[in-house]
């Protein structure tokens, strides 16, 4: 049985107060809180194992290396990749996308070639490509979405693929709308035309089972801090055939095979893409977070969070002037509800909710083109995690009513 009250005991921060009110933390799409298990594992490593990895012959270095590479294997299992060589550690989803953008465009694209993204992308999956457009003359095109926050039909998506499309890069789940995009269908029609696909999994990896082999994506990126792990660590999965083709993203220690003044040769995968000292304690923390999630059961977590999403949407719709953005069918979205109320500015709503102890996110959520599409400046966003409760949603709804009465 899924015992959310027992789970909450693993997250001490959830028992604190803000402005004299019990904390209601509903900003999980930005970052999740960390369980004691993750904090204890990282503290233990710093206290007893700390040493730089891969380079030392001494005991501590070997022990730290074993933990670091065990974390890589843990990630491989989590996303069902074939090989640890396909698991590249990065600082997060943003760096993972930038890595692909820089290396793919350098080696696989020419002036006039196109990258296709969607209208609901996070800035990380827009600006990364725009930087390459400025450098290399490529084009960034976007798939439009429907008024209810869904992508067009697969047939319409296929028609958007041109002879110059070299890559499709798409969010698995929108960080604003919560829309769960049909990535398997997108990958299928792209592959029929020989086009690889990158999936931004920042908002999906914390909430559902990920199987990159079944999905058949060529690249998949996600962050540790959104799935109960530490900040500053993330993962890029890439099919071995693609990672072999791409040049290194950065130069320095660890990513080299041999350096001479005449020529440098590069290390084997995945180390070719991991220049410098990795955050080996954070990788251990990420692996521990994966252990924590899987011990609870990914299906159970998803069912709990989907129920929270459905319940939140039902309750919010009882408020006068409520506007919810994205799919109104809760089965088509995941763990995120964005809204505005009447003419109340989203920042005012968020600030006053904060005084009631309710932490939500306000603004454009690093998705300004999406805000332009919706003809708004921003939204209030409530996002859920495995430790949230229906009682917290009741508190949110009561808080919104109270703020609304002030206006």
């Amino acid at each position: 049985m899924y015992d959310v009250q027992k789970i909450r005991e693993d997250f001490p921060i959830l028992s604190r107060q803000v402005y004299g009110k019990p904390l209601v933390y509903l900003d999980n799409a930005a970052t999740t809180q960390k369980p004691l298990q993750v904090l204890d594992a990282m503290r233990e490593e710093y206290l007893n194992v700390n040493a730089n990895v891969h380079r030392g012959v001494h005991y501590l270095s070997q022990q730290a290396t074993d933990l670091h590479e065990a974390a890589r294997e843990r990630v491989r299992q989590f996303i069902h990749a074939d090989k640890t060589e396909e698991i590249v550690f990065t600082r997060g989803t943003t760096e993972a996308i930038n890595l692909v953008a820089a290396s793919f465009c350098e080696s696989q694209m020419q002036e006039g070639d196109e990258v296709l993204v969607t209208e609901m992308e996070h800035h990380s999956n827009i600006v990364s490509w725009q930087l390459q457009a400025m450098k290399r003359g490529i084009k960034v095109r976007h798939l439009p979405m429907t008024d209810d926050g869904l992508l067009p039909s697969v047939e319409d998506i296929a028609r958007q693929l041109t002879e110059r499309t070299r890559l499709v890069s798409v969010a698995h789940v929108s960080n604003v709308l919560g829309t769960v995009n049909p990535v398997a269908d997108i990958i299928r029609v792209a592959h029929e035309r020989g086009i690889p696909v990158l999936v931004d999994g920042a908002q999906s990896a914390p909430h559902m089972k990920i199987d990159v082999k079944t999905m058949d994506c060529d690249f998949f990126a996600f962050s540790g801090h959104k799935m109960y792990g530490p900040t500053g660590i993330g993962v890029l999965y890439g099919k071995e055939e693609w990672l072999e083709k791409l040049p290194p993203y950065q130069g320095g220690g660890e990513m080299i095979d041999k350096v001479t003044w005449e020529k440098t040769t590069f290390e084997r995968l995945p180390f070719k893409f991991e220049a410098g000292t990795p955050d080996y304690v954070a990788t251990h923390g990420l692996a521990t977070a994966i252990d924590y999630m899987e011990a609870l059961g990914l299906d159970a977590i998803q069912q709990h969070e989907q129920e929270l999403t459905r319940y939140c949407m039902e309750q919010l719709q009882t408020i006068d002037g409520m506007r919810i953005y994205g799919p109104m069918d809760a089965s088509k979205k995941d763990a995120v509800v964005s809204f505005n109320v009447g003419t109340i500015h989203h920042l005012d709503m968020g600030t006053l909710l904060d005084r009631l102890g309710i932490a939500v996110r306000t603004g454009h959520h690093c998705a300004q083109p999406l805000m332009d599409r919706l003809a708004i400046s921003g939204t209030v966003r409530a996002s859920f995690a495995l430790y949230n409760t229906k009682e917290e949603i009741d508190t949110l709804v009561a808080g919104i009513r109270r703020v609304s009465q002030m206006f």
Side-chain angles (χ1 to χ4, degrees):
M1 179 179 176
Y2 194 87
D3 189 343
V4 69
Q5 294 303 326
K6 190 175 188 312
I7 291 168
R8 289 173 68 86
E9 294 174 3
D10 294 331
F11 298 83
I13 195 171
L14 299 179
S15 63
R16 70 163 298 183
Q17 292 195 337
V18 176
Y19 300 116
K21 306 287 186 181
L23 172 65
V24 175
Y25 186 79
L26 299 175
D27 193 21
N28 296 284
T31 198
T32 53
Q33 301 303 330
K34 321 306 173 192
L36 289 170
Q37 290 84 342
V38 169
L39 302 177
D40 289 345
M42 295 175 66
R43 183 174 187 271
E44 175 68 16
E45 183 166 1
Y46 272 127
L47 286 176
N48 295 300
V49 189
N50 185 44
N52 210 331
V53 296
H54 295 139
R55 305 169 192 175
V57 296
H58 60 82
Y59 181 82
L60 288 184
S61 178
Q62 293 296 312
Q63 193 175 10
T65 299
D66 288 345
L67 287 173
H68 181 62
E69 292 307 319
R72 197 186 305 275
E73 168 61 16
R74 193 70 187 85
V75 170
R76 183 201 68 77
Q77 295 170 1
F78 179 65
I79 63 172
H80 299 91
D82 276 328
K83 302 178 180 180
T84 55
E85 287 83 356
E86 297 176 319
I87 306 300
V88 178
F89 285 124
T90 66
R91 290 180 299 162
T93 307
T94 296
E95 184 177 53
I97 295 173
N98 273 271
L99 188 163
V100 175
S103 296
F104 190 93
C105 291
E106 177 183 340
S107 62
Q108 306 296 318
M109 298 187 72
Q110 300 177 350
E111 184 176 351
D113 285 346
E114 300 171 351
V115 172
L116 185 65
V117 300
T118 79
E119 202 165 27
M120 63 181 75
E121 297 303 320
H122 188 282
H123 291 165
S124 295
N125 203 25
I126 299 174
V127 180
S128 302
W129 303 107
Q130 289 178 332
L131 290 173
Q132 295 302 316
M134 288 188 287
K135 292 178 182 178
R136 306 181 190 281
I138 69 167
K139 295 181 180 179
V140 183
R141 298 175 52 242
H142 67 267
L143 286 168
M145 70 175 194
T146 63
D147 290 340
D148 55 354
L150 298 172
L151 291 182
S153 68
V154 175
E155 293 75 20
D156 287 339
I157 292 172
R159 284 191 282 271
Q160 293 291 328
L161 301 172
T162 74
E163 61 182 14
R164 299 305 298 268
T165 305
R166 297 290 176 263
L167 184 84
V168 176
S169 193
V170 56
H172 197 172
V173 175
S174 166
N175 73 306
V176 178
L177 307 175
T179 306
V180 181
N181 286 318
V183 292
D185 290 335
I186 294 170
I187 292 165
R188 176 177 53 79
V189 298
H191 283 181
E192 288 171 355
R193 293 155 179 79
I195 302 168
V197 179
L198 183 157
V199 176
D200 174 355
Q203 299 295 337
S204 61
H207 304 292
M208 61 185 69
K209 287 182 177 178
I210 302 298
D211 188 326
V212 294
K213 286 192 294 184
T214 300
M215 191 186 302
D216 200 26
C217 58
D218 301 277
F219 305 97
F220 187 90
F222 63 98
S223 298
H225 74 99
K226 295 181 189 292
M227 46 188 289
Y228 316 100
T231 57
I233 193 67
V235 173
L236 172 67
Y237 158 80
K239 286 182 178 177
E240 184 178 29
E241 61 194 84
W242 273 112
L243 294 181
E244 290 285 9
K245 292 178 184 178
L246 301 186
Y249 175 52
Q250 295 176 321
E254 195 56 43
M255 52 76 67
I256 61 93
D257 173 39
K258 184 176 180 180
V259 176
T260 68
W261 289 119
E262 291 73 31
K263 182 181 179 181
T264 293
T265 55
F266 305 119
E267 183 59 282
R268 68 190 188 280
L269 294 176
F271 307 113
K272 180 175 76 171
F273 295 105
E274 294 181 356
T277 299
D279 195 340
Y280 49 85
V281 177
T283 60
H284 182 44
L286 173 59
T288 306
I290 290 172
D291 288 342
Y292 184 87
M293 292 175 63
E294 293 199 334
L296 294 177
L298 295 172
D299 287 337
I301 291 171
Q302 185 175 20
Q303 182 179 352
H304 174 72
E305 293 171 341
Q306 287 182 334
E307 177 61 22
L308 292 177
T309 304
R310 182 196 63 76
Y311 183 72
C312 183
M313 292 179 66
E314 288 178 354
Q315 297 305 307
L316 288 180
Q317 290 179 80
T318 66
I319 298 173
D320 290 341
M322 174 62 62
R323 300 193 309 280
I324 298 175
Y325 301 97
M328 295 306 294
D329 181 349
S331 67
K332 296 181 179 180
K333 65 194 302 170
D334 194 75
V336 173
V337 181
S338 284
F339 62 90
N340 282 313
V341 182
T343 59
I344 304 172
H345 195 278
H346 51 85
L347 180 59
D348 293 332
M349 176 64 75
T351 300
L352 293 170
L353 288 175
D354 177 53
R355 288 288 174 171
L356 299 175
I358 304 165
V360 292
R361 182 54 60 102
T362 64
H364 55 66
H365 315 297
C366 297
Q368 288 180 319
L370 175 56
M371 296 299 120
D372 291 342
R373 168 65 175 82
L374 298 172
I376 56 176
S377 62
T379 73
V380 182
R381 183 184 71 187
S383 50
F384 312 117
L386 56 81
Y387 42 64
N388 288 124
T389 67
K390 287 185 177 180
E391 290 76 16
E392 289 181 311
I393 292 173
D394 291 339
T395 301
L396 169 67
V397 172
I400 296 170
R401 291 187 188 282
R402 182 174 174 181
V403 173
S404 298
Q405 291 172 359
M406 298 173 62
F407 288 82

